[in-house]
Amino acid sequence: MNQPSPPAQIIDGVALSQKLRSDVASRVQALKTRGITPGLAVVLVGENPASQVYVRNKVKACEDAGLFSVLEKYEATLTEAALLARIDALNNDPAIHGILVQLPVPAHINASHVIEAISPDKDVDGFHVASAGALMTGMPGFWPCTPYGCMKMLESIHYDLKGKHALVIGRSNIVGKPMALMLLQKHASVTICHSATTNLKALTLQADVIVAAVGKRNVLTADMVKPGAVVLDVGMNRNDAGKLCGDVDFEGVRQVAGYITPVPGGVGPMTITMLLVNTLEAAERINP
Ligand code: NAP
């Protein structure tokens, strides 16, 4: 008689974040003894409620780890020219090592203009074309925080990607595409899927690692996963009861997968953690 396979091991993003944030705090202290405090500027334009929560969490995480942070809040009516002038000032502010403009910005502001205005040396979100190009060519630069956090989760389970088949569902510039490039850099064979992919299940069943970054519930169900596969769930959605959930049918997939990340408590906390890491590294790079 077939025994049911044991449930997957959970990769705990909260616990891993605590460990990484305590490493960040130690390195921040080392810089402080040299008179340098890593500083992050977080810029928020408008009143988007989700954005308000995100920026508060980012500023608090900085404070907890000993980094300096400033939160600049502007009315939704701020002009693009005024925002670009503010970014220029932050680019030239020696107390600021990282700049983050919380997206989305109001519709009258072109997000690309904003992202490209940030100095690549302070682009701790890793969204600038220079950062994207650096990732693509394997040059030093800042990696986008969410896929970077996913890579740290794989590292935490000592997962060797060499020769493995990794599959990413989603091809956004901030998650899917950089995720695929990071997996490729670690020698996985990478498949990228998106809304026009036909027969997603036939592809996911071949994958050793699956990253779901779509923004739709139950994009990945147990029948789509190879036994023992590693499943990382980036998605953030609400279920019928209004509770936070991911793209993956967690209860079903955990019966098949070898490892799985929960939502909440998985990739989400890692994203902020990697923002701290990037800001610290921005300060370390100019103070070797
Ligand atoms: P996005 O820009 O909307 O991209 C979604 C991607 O999913 C697109 O490439 C889209 O394909 C693809 N897609 C849509 N429906 C699909 C389907 N049925 N099958 C396969 N692919 C499909 O979203 P994003 O910014 O990458 O974010 C993705 C999710 O991650 C969201 O839930 C977001 O809230 C979450 N997120 C979480 C964190 C975190 O810290 N945990 C950080 C960032 C994002 P096309 O390109 O063809 O349209």
Side-chain angles (χ1 to χ4, degrees):
M1 204 173 85
N2 281 344
Q3 295 291 321
S5 50
Q9 292 193 50
I10 309 288
I11 310 178
D12 181 343
V14 175
L16 180 57
S17 279
Q18 272 169 1
K19 182 178 169 297
L20 294 174
R21 289 185 198 194
S22 113
D23 292 346
V24 167
S26 308
R27 281 161 65 189
V28 168
Q29 285 313 315
L31 274 180
K32 280 184 170 172
T33 61
R34 297 164 52 201
I36 304 144
T37 303
L40 175 71
V42 179
V43 180
L44 175 64
V45 186
E47 306 286 329
N48 182 318
S51 294
Q52 308 236 19
V53 175
Y54 295 148
V55 297
R56 260 205 313 275
N57 290 343
K58 288 169 186 177
V59 167
K60 179 167 187 319
C62 278
E63 283 166 4
D64 290 348
L67 288 87
F68 165 68
S69 69
V70 282
L71 173 56
E72 298 196 3
K73 284 186 174 184
Y74 297 102
E75 300 283 321
T77 51
L78 185 78
T79 63
E80 182 178 305
L83 179 57
L84 296 183
R86 195 54 215 133
I87 292 170
D88 188 47
L90 292 168
N91 282 339
N92 292 301
D93 184 342
I96 297 299
H97 301 92
I99 303 169
L100 179 157
V101 179
Q102 186 64 44
L103 300 178
V105 283
H108 66 278
I109 297 177
N110 183 321
S112 299
H113 293 172
V114 173
I115 292 167
E116 301 315 320
I118 296 170
S119 163
D121 295 334
K122 299 190 178 188
D123 177 37
V124 288
D125 251 344
F127 296 165
H128 195 288
V129 285
S131 302
L135 171 59
M136 201 189 83
T137 53
M139 304 282 282
F142 293 109
W143 283 9
C145 301
T146 301
Y148 192 8
C150 290
M151 294 304 285
K152 285 286 172 193
M153 292 181 118
L154 291 174
E155 207 179 292
S156 76
I157 58 165
H158 310 288
Y159 193 83
D160 184 3
L161 283 159
K162 190 171 183 179
K164 296 293 198 309
H165 179 193
L167 181 143
V168 183
I169 317 176
R171 57 172 165 180
S172 70
N173 289 338
I174 62 169
V175 188
K177 280 186 218 162
M179 184 78 252
L181 288 168
M182 290 173 200
L183 293 162
L184 184 65
Q185 199 176 100
K186 294 292 179 190
H187 313 295
S189 302
V190 182
T191 300
I192 307 175
C193 299
H194 44 77
S195 66
T197 298
T198 51
N199 205 350
L200 180 65
K201 178 178 169 180
L203 297 170
T204 56
L205 276 172
Q206 296 174 34
D208 303 302
V209 176
I210 302 172
V211 183
V214 174
K216 288 183 185 156
R217 285 159 58 191
N218 297 331
V219 157
L220 193 75
T221 47
D223 58 316
M224 300 168 75
V225 176
K226 181 163 92 172
V230 179
V231 176
L232 306 182
D233 191 353
V234 177
M236 288 199 307
N237 311 294
R238 296 274 163 194
N239 67 16
D240 292 335
K243 287 178 90 177
L244 191 64
C245 68
D247 290 347
V248 175
D249 170 23
F250 181 80
E251 287 308 328
V253 171
R254 73 183 297 196
Q255 300 303 324
V256 183
Y259 289 90
I260 190 167
T261 65
V263 178
V267 176
M270 292 299 293
T271 296
I272 296 191
T273 299
M274 300 324 292
L275 175 67
L276 302 181
V277 169
N278 278 349
T279 305
L280 167 66
E281 287 183 358
E284 287 178 341
R285 280 179 202 177
I286 58 163
N287 297 285

